[in-house]
C-alpha cells in the first residue's frame, strides 16, 4: 500500500512543469528501489535466481506504476486548472519550488561530502548546465504527427530516449521535457483521444531509454556515489528556475509562506525516509 501511495503522489506531481518525478522519488525514499527493480528485469550473466528477482521487481513496479498512472490522470486536470489561475497558480508553483528545494539537504547527505573540494562546485555546475541545455533542443523535429519514413521513426525514438532521461534523472521534469520537445499538447491529445499509433515510436524509445539510463545510473551510484549525487544536486538546482512563476501574482508574504511550507514538508518527509533506511 505504501508503494502505491508513493506512486500516486509522484505521478500526480509529475504533471507540474518543472517538478521531477525522480526528485520526489528520492524524497520519498523509493528512488534506489525503483532503479534496482527496473534493472532486476534485465537478465544478467550467471544469475541463477533471475526469475525470482524479476518476479519481485515486476510486482513492485506494477504496484508503483498503477499508483503513478492513477495519480497522473486524477491530478492532471486539477493541477493544470490551478496553474491556469494567475494568483492560485503562483502559490502552487511556489509551494512546489519549496518542495523541490527541500530535497537538497537529503541529496547532500547522500553525497556524504566530508570536506570541501573543487569537485563540490564543478560537478553541480555540470549538472545544472546539462539541465539548462535541454531548453535548446529543437521542437518541431520530434512532432508526433503521423509522418511516415524511417527518418521520422528514428527521430521519435530519440525523443523517447530524451523523455526516458527526464523520467529517470532527478531534477529533470518529464512534463517540462515534453514542453521542451514541443509535443506536450500533441501527446495529451493522443492520450485523451486514444490515438495510440503515433505514440508507439516514442514509447519504444522511452522504454529502451529507461533500461539504458537506469543501468548506467545504478552503476554510477554504486561505484561513484559521491560524484553521482553531486551531479544530481546540480540537476535539481538547474530545475528550480523552471518552477519560478514568470509573472508573480498574489501576496508576496503568502508566496513566501508557500515556499516555506513546501520546503518544510519535503525536508521532514525526506528526513523520515532516510531515518527508516538507516534503521
Amino acid at each position: 500500500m505504501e508503494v502505491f501511495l508513493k506512486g500516486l503522489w509522484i505521478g500526480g506531481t509529475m504533471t507540474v512543469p518543472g517538478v521531477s518525478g525522480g526528485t520526489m522519488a528520492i524524497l520519498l525514499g523509493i528512488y534506489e528501489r525503483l532503479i534496482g527493480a527496473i534493472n532486476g528485469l534485465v537478465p544478467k550473466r550467471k544469475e541463477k535466481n533471475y526469475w525470482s528477482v524479476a518476479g519481485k521487481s515486476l510486482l513492485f513496479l506494477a504496484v508503483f506504476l498503477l499508483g503513478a498512472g492513477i495519480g497522473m490522470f486524477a491530478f492532471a486536470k486539477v493541477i493544470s486548472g490551478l496553474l491556469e489561475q494567475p494568483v492560485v497558480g503562483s502559490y502552487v508553483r511556489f509551494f512546489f519550488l519549496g518542495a523541490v528545494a527541500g530535497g537538497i539537504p537529503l541529496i547532500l547527505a547522500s553525497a556524504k561530502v566530508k570536506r570541501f573540494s573543487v569537485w563540490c562546485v564543478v560537478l553541480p555546475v555540470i549538472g545544472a548546465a546539462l539541465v539548462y541545455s535541454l531548453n535548446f533542443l529543437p521542437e518541431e523535429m520530434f512532432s508526433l504527427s503521423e509522418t511516415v519514413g524511417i527518418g521520422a521513426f528514428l527521430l521519435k525514438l530519440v525523443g523517447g530516449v530524451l523523455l526516458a532521461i527526464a523520467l529517470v534523472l532527478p531534477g529533470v521534469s518529464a512534463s517540462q521535457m515534453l514542453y521542451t520537445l514541443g509535443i506536450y499538447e500533441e501527446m495529451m491529445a493522443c492520450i485523451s483521444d486514444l490515438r495510440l499509433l503515433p505514440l508507439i515510436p516514442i514509447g519504444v524509445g522511452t522504454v529502451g531509454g529507461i533500461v539504458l539510463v537506469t543501468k548506467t545510473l545504478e552503476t554510477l551510484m554504486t561505484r561513484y556515489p559521491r560524484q553521482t549525487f553531486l551531479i544530481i544536486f546540480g540537476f535539481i538546482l538547474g530545475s528550480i528556475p523552471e518552477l519560478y512563476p514568470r509573472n508573480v501574482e498574489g501576496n508576496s508574504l503568502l508566496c513566501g509562506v508557500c515556499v516555506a511550507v513546501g520546503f518544510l514538508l519535503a525536508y521532514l518527509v525526506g528526513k523520515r525516509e532516510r531515518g527508516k533506511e538507516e534503521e
Side-chain angles (χ1 to χ4, degrees):
M1 188 62 180
E2 183 180 355
V3 173
F4 174 82
L5 292 175
K6 289 180 178 181
L8 192 73
W9 172 254
I10 293 170
T13 55
M14 282 175 61
T15 60
V16 181
V19 176
S20 163
T23 301
M24 290 298 156
I26 287 179
L27 281 175
L28 297 177
I30 201 174
Y31 185 75
E32 293 188 39
R33 288 182 65 190
L34 282 170
I35 297 295
I38 294 171
N39 287 325
L41 298 177
V42 181
K44 300 178 180 62
R45 291 183 179 180
K46 300 179 180 180
E47 186 177 23
K48 297 180 180 180
N49 60 338
Y50 167 72
W51 292 109
S52 175
V53 173
K56 292 178 181 178
S57 298
L58 190 60
L59 178 61
F60 173 81
L61 290 172
V63 174
F64 174 82
L65 290 174
L66 177 63
I70 293 175
M72 290 182 69
F73 283 103
F75 295 113
K77 290 186 177 180
V78 175
I79 291 178
S80 62
L82 292 175
L83 291 175
E84 288 173 0
Q85 301 180 37
V87 176
V88 177
S90 291
Y91 294 150
V92 171
R93 283 187 174 274
F94 276 115
F95 170 80
F96 280 108
L97 190 153
V100 170
I104 290 177
L106 180 63
I107 299 296
L108 293 177
S110 299
K112 297 179 180 179
V113 177
K114 297 180 180 179
R115 61 179 181 177
F116 179 82
S117 68
V118 67
W119 293 111
C120 294
V121 176
V122 172
L123 293 176
V125 168
I126 291 174
L130 288 173
V131 172
Y132 182 74
S133 67
L134 296 175
N135 294 314
F136 298 98
L137 290 172
E139 296 182 2
E140 297 299 326
M141 64 186 297
F142 298 106
S143 174
L144 296 178
S145 58
E146 298 181 18
T147 306
V148 296
I150 187 67
F153 183 85
L154 290 175
L155 281 175
K156 291 176 184 178
L157 283 179
V158 173
V161 173
L162 293 174
L163 181 57
I165 293 173
L167 287 169
V168 174
L169 291 182
V172 185
S173 165
S175 55
Q176 190 65 42
M177 175 64 81
L178 292 174
Y179 274 116
T180 301
L181 297 178
I183 59 176
Y184 183 86
E185 289 81 4
E186 283 184 285
M187 180 167 285
M188 293 301 106
C190 287
I191 293 174
S192 61
D193 298 337
L194 296 179
R195 291 187 290 111
L196 303 181
L197 188 61
L199 299 178
I200 291 177
I202 198 167
V204 172
T206 301
V207 172
I210 286 174
V211 174
L212 177 63
V213 174
T214 51
K215 182 62 179 177
T216 303
L217 194 58
E218 185 180 51
T219 302
L220 291 175
M221 292 175 79
T222 301
R223 297 182 180 179
Y224 312 103
R226 184 175 305 166
Q227 295 88 335
T228 302
F229 278 107
L230 283 173
I231 291 180
I232 289 175
F233 171 51
F235 291 157
I236 295 176
L237 288 180
S239 72
I240 288 179
E242 294 292 340
L243 278 168
Y244 194 87
R246 288 172 174 79
N247 297 309
V248 179
E249 303 284 349
N251 184 281
S252 299
L253 179 61
L254 285 178
C255 290
V257 170
C258 289
V259 173
V261 171
F263 183 93
L264 185 61
L265 286 175
Y267 175 76
L268 292 176
V269 170
K271 186 176 180 181
R272 173 179 173 271
E273 294 299 327
R274 184 169 179 82
K276 288 168 61 177
E277 288 181 3
E278 290 175 353
E279 289 178 3

